[in-house]
Amino acid sequence: MATSFAPELPVEGKTVKALTSLAAKRTRELFAGNFGESLPLDVQSQQLKIRLKLAAEYDSVQHLVAPAPAPGATAGPGSADQLRLGSSVGAAGQARPESRSATAKLIDSVASQPRKPTASEASQQTLVLYNKDGVAGAGGSLGGGSAQRAIMKVIEDQGSGSAAVSRRLASKWPRPEWRAPWKMYRVISGHLGAVRSVAVDHGNEWFVTGSADRTIKIWDLASGQLRLTLTGHIEQVTGLAVSPRHPYMFSCGLDKLVKCWDLEYNKVIRAYHGHLSGVYSLALHPTLDVHCLSGHTQTVCSILAQPTDPQVVTGSHDSTIRTWDLRTGKTSCTLTYHKKAVRALAAHPSEHAFASASAENIKKFKLPDGEFLHNMLQQQKAIVNAMAINDDGVMVSGGDNGSMWWWDWRSGHCFQQGETIVQPGSLDSEANIYSMSYDMTGSRLITCEGDKTIKLWKEDESATPSTHPILPYRPPKDIRRY
């Protein structure tokens, strides 16, 4: 071992240069024996690594043999044409040339020792001759014969295709039921402006509409005849609600007022002031008188009121949905799933759930916690201004481009797509749908449109599944949960 030639002086008396030189010399003395040499490789770990690499990359070609060399061709000692992976003998019977590198020797040792399958793998890969009497064939076992009998029974029951043997998982997504298509059967005209709102009498005898011409008209639901015209707003009438406490009706408009009408005397008995801008929507609570609620940062354009908690649900142009706690007068939950303005809300008549619509999608939520269920399976690609749901689970949505889509509530599948037709003399841009509502039976649909008309829709009674099939249904593979 080499000795250090550094002078034996105390550390305090040495300079930094001397200390550095002394440390370097001691390091050299410690590692001079194997300096510059690499660490030896672990044979077992290297064999395991090469075996896994061969199985992953060359398992499908290990059984192939290289073609014999052409007559007269001389192959060098390292020619790959004479070699076969996993064998030490070439295709022409010549001995495999000796490997030179350590990695090549490891490959030879791994290839010469093929992995033996386990007992379970061997039993799964055993070929059994099928016998209907239950006797195992040559090289088989009785267990294999029973498995073959089960497979053959499936094939005989479902067909001879290989897909009958494969294991399939049933889709958990509910399939839509066939529903008759809806058709328009009546067009009512009488307003001088776009029809903005509609409400149906609880007795299912008449319905009322509000228009941009500042009037409210009451129509007979059966015949479509005009019964009464009410005037009192000085701006567009954007919301209507008929009270179950007959004979009261409420209306709101862009004149910042909410009016209560007595339909026995056909006049306003109370006007509610307080809004600082136009009122776009209203809803009547079944039992309570609701006071002022504040929290949205932009226009509130859709409201739901129900007797169970949350008793008030609102949608706004700030792309949020809020549920309200009436005991405290504050927001109980804020839903931020939408990216654009929430212009329409619709509550299911029997389920404790509701749907919301914006320009990007229609979403379903479960109450009372506001749990997000799923998106509808298709996108209407329009600004949806109105929605309605009946007891049969048929939901309809209307867009600003005149498109009307009918949805199966349970599956979220759109089974019918249509477009409204503007009345003669109107522009195509006036085909937008502002409001819609089912009657109390859910068999008739009323739509209010920008071409100053009211259209009534009903199911086609002559339609059958063969004559009017629904749109193709494809269950979702990766349903979005946001």
Side-chain angles (χ1 to χ4, degrees), residues 276-294:
L276 302 179
S277 61
V279 185
Y280 287 89
S281 179
L282 63 84
L284 294 180
H285 193 278
T287 56
L288 300 178
D289 295 330
V290 183
H291 300 283
C292 179
L293 303 172
S294 61

Side-chain angles (χ1 to χ4, degrees), residues 24 57 102 117 173 211 265 282 311 317 336:
E57 300 184 9
W173 199 265
S211 171
Y265 297 95
L282 63 84
Q311 301 182 37
H317 282 187
T336 59

Side-chain angles (χ1 to χ4, degrees), residues 296-315:
H296 284 289
T297 58
Q298 291 189 25
T299 304
V300 180
C301 50
S302 51
I303 302 176
L304 292 179
Q306 54 188 5
T308 57
D309 290 333
Q311 301 182 37
V312 176
V313 182
T314 57

Side-chain angles (χ1 to χ4, degrees), residues 3-320:
T3 59
S4 174
F5 296 97
E8 296 296 334
L9 296 176
V11 176
E12 291 79 2
K14 295 181 181 180
T15 62
V16 176
K17 183 176 181 182
L19 290 175
T20 305
S21 177
L22 179 60
K25 289 180 180 181
R26 287 180 178 176
T27 304
R28 184 181 182 279
E29 291 171 2
L30 290 175
F31 301 101
N34 56 357
F35 180 75
E37 297 180 5
S38 58
L39 295 176
L41 299 177
D42 183 58
V43 179
Q44 293 183 354
S45 62
Q46 292 298 318
Q47 286 182 347
L48 179 60
K49 175 183 177 182
I50 292 175
R51 183 181 291 112
L52 293 176
K53 188 172 183 180
L54 290 175
E57 300 184 9
Y58 304 104
D59 185 62
S60 59
V61 296
Q62 286 191 25
H63 64 283
L64 301 178
V65 179
T74 59
S79 176
D81 293 339
Q82 298 178 0
L83 304 181
R84 178 173 67 114
L85 188 60
S87 176
S88 60
V89 181
Q94 301 176 359
R96 185 168 185 170
E98 182 181 358
S99 301
R100 296 180 180 180
S101 64
T103 305
K105 291 181 180 180
L106 287 174
I107 293 176
D108 293 342
S109 64
V110 170
S112 61
Q113 299 175 3
R115 185 179 67 88
K116 296 182 180 180
T118 61
S120 60
E121 293 177 348
S123 62
Q124 293 176 2
Q125 297 177 1
T126 302
L127 295 179
V128 180
L129 182 63
Y130 173 68
N131 192 343
K132 293 184 178 180
D133 298 332
V135 181
S141 61
L142 189 59
S146 61
Q148 289 291 323
R149 286 196 302 274
I151 293 176
M152 292 304 296
K153 186 176 185 304
V154 173
I155 294 177
E156 291 175 358
D157 293 343
Q158 300 184 3
S160 59
S162 60
V165 187
S166 61
R167 191 174 185 180
R168 294 187 178 182
L169 296 176
S171 175
K172 296 182 181 180
W173 199 265
R175 295 190 62 86
E177 303 176 0
W178 178 85
R179 299 182 183 276
W182 289 68
K183 64 178 182 179
M184 181 180 62
Y185 72 95
R186 179 172 294 156
V187 179
I188 301 174
S189 60
H191 282 289
L192 302 179
V195 187
R196 298 294 304 270
S197 54
V198 62
V200 181
D201 169 40
H202 291 271
N204 211 37
E205 296 180 357
W206 49 269
F207 67 95
V208 57
T209 57
S211 171
D213 61 3
R214 302 169 294 177
T215 63
I216 300 172
K217 293 182 181 292
I218 298 178
W219 311 83
D220 185 79
L221 186 58
S223 62
Q225 298 295 323
L226 178 63
R227 285 189 176 185
L228 183 66
T229 300
L230 301 175
T231 59
H233 283 279
I234 59 175
E235 267 290 351
Q236 301 183 27
V237 182
T238 54
L240 291 168
V242 179
S243 174
R245 307 169 187 174
H246 187 75
Y248 301 111
M249 180 186 69
F250 293 84
S251 64
C252 65
L254 299 184
D255 54 4
K256 311 175 188 179
L257 295 179
V258 177
K259 295 179 181 289
C260 178
W261 301 79
D262 187 344
L263 297 181
E264 287 186 351
Y265 297 95
N266 299 330
K267 65 179 183 178
V268 178
I269 59 174
R270 181 173 295 179
Y272 299 91
H273 302 265
H275 286 285
L276 302 179
S277 61
V279 185
Y280 287 89
S281 179
L282 63 84
L284 294 180
H285 193 278
T287 56
L288 300 178
D289 295 330
V290 183
H291 300 283
C292 179
L293 303 172
S294 61
H296 284 289
T297 58
Q298 291 189 25
T299 304
V300 180
C301 50
S302 51
I303 302 176
L304 292 179
Q306 54 188 5
T308 57
D309 290 333
Q311 301 182 37
V312 176
V313 182
T314 57
S316 171
H317 282 187
D318 59 8
S319 72
T320 64

Side-chain angles (χ1 to χ4, degrees), residues 304 313 321 335 345-348 353-356 363-365 367 409:
L304 292 179
V313 182
I321 302 170
L335 307 177
L345 297 175
H348 195 277
F354 72 96
S356 61
K363 301 177 183 291
K364 284 173 58 175
F365 296 91
L367 295 174
W409 170 263

